[in-house]
Amino acid sequence: MNNKKLILTRFIMLTVAVSCILSGIYRGEVYTVLNKAIHICMECIGIG
């Protein structure tokens, strides 16, 4: 019984994670995250 709950919990968490990722892609958040990552890296290196 405990093993079935664990499998169900993992499946639910995986489904939620994938749906959040797909929602972010649909909303165009990929560009925003990539843009912020580039600016942070350039600030750390000292270029920007």
Side-chain angles (χ1 to χ4, degrees):
M1 185 70 173
N2 193 16
N3 194 21
K4 288 183 181 182
K5 285 184 180 180
L6 181 62
I7 291 172
L8 181 63
T9 303
R10 287 180 180 172
F11 179 74
I12 290 171
M13 294 297 286
L14 179 65
T15 304
V16 169
V18 169
S19 65
C20 287
I21 290 170
L22 291 176
S23 173
I25 291 171
Y26 178 73
R27 290 179 43 182
E29 297 291 326
V30 175
Y31 175 75
T32 304
V33 171
L34 183 61
N35 193 19
K36 287 181 181 182
I38 289 171
H39 287 304
I40 289 173
C41 286
M42 288 188 176
E43 287 177 7
C44 291
I45 296 172
I47 296 174

